[in-house]
Amino acid sequence: MPAAPVEYSAYPNEDRPPTLLEAANRLMEQAPGYRVEIIGGQLTVTPPADLPHSRVLNKITRPFVAAGLDDGETEVHQGIGLWLPGGPEDYAIPDLVVVDADSDEHLVRNNCYDPVVFRLVLEVTSSNYNTDLRSKVGAYASAGVPVYVIVNRQHQRLHVLTDPESGDYGTHRVYASGELATLPDSLGAKVTLDVDELLAAGRPQPRKKAAPPAPDA
């Protein structure tokens, strides 16, 4: 999910400026529904998702659940924190994740979990899509997340990134509308995504024209 940078320069009535993590938690308390993350030492804030964004997540969750990835060795979740190795307070909250079933045992800090339990992270882009297409690519690759999927609503593409190494993904496959994207077997089950269905779900629905008034009897 995209994010806009937020800068803090003054904190009145405090002995010291809060840390980035403290500032992030304060923002979440002050703005319920907003997503706050720290990527590369930069605090970012994402407004609540729109309906097309939610529709994509609803549709893309189904094939993971149908493949049995939410019952057994793995679980499928939305909005779960991932503790990142890029900085002392870095963390992200992907739109959707596939994690090992024992993830509760790998809580690190601030309701975020060790990247070792993440088999896949997925983001659905919004207005500031460069966060998902650039900043988070390096962040998730550095964390060693095996598969990163991006539903790119701006360019009408689906990206599947695999083989993380040295802060980047060695393999980047781009799928267009009309194609099927089969995800790596490392997830633990075969998952195939209908790209056309997902991209269509991410487009705003046209407004229906109001019916003309009924003629007088």
Side-chain angles (χ1 to χ4, degrees), residues 152-173:
N152 184 347
R153 295 194 291 162
Q154 279 65 30
H155 301 106
Q156 292 293 286
R157 295 288 187 269
L158 184 137
H159 306 254
V160 178
L161 294 83
T162 57
D163 305 317
E165 185 177 0
S166 302
D168 200 1
Y169 283 96
T171 303
H172 183 172
R173 176 71 189 275

Side-chain angles (χ1 to χ4, degrees), residues 9-160:
S9 57
Y11 296 87
N13 304 319
E14 292 188 0
D15 295 334
R16 63 168 179 81
T19 66
L20 275 178
L21 196 57
E22 290 170 342
N25 290 333
R26 181 177 303 175
L27 273 173
M28 286 191 290
E29 293 175 358
Q30 295 173 345
Y34 283 70
R35 181 169 299 187
V36 183
E37 302 168 293
I38 302 174
I39 309 292
Q42 180 172 312
L43 194 153
T44 60
V45 181
T46 304
D50 58 13
L51 281 174
H53 186 283
S54 180
R55 289 190 188 104
V56 175
L57 278 181
N58 288 337
K59 288 187 178 296
I60 207 167
T61 300
R62 296 169 190 166
F64 291 101
V65 175
L69 290 173
D70 196 40
D71 185 17
E73 296 183 356
T74 57
E75 297 176 342
V76 180
H77 294 284
Q78 294 184 16
I80 297 298
L82 165 61
W83 196 256
L84 296 169
E89 299 178 293
D90 280 14
Y91 72 94
I93 307 176
D95 286 324
L96 183 141
V97 301
V98 176
V99 295
D100 294 341
D102 66 349
S103 296
D104 298 81
E105 302 173 12
H106 296 270
L107 179 65
V108 178
R109 185 181 179 190
N110 206 49
N111 291 331
C112 296
Y113 295 84
D114 193 312
V116 71
V117 302
F118 288 77
R119 299 193 184 190
L120 172 144
V121 295
L122 183 145
E123 301 283 6
V124 180
T125 66
S126 193
S127 55
N128 189 0
Y129 52 87
N130 281 329
T131 300
D132 295 330
L133 294 173
R134 296 180 183 176
S135 303
K136 286 191 173 181
V137 171
Y140 292 147
S142 296
V145 178
V147 183
Y148 177 26
V149 177
I150 309 169
V151 181
N152 184 347
R153 295 194 291 162
Q154 279 65 30
H155 301 106
Q156 292 293 286
R157 295 288 187 269
L158 184 137
H159 306 254
V160 178

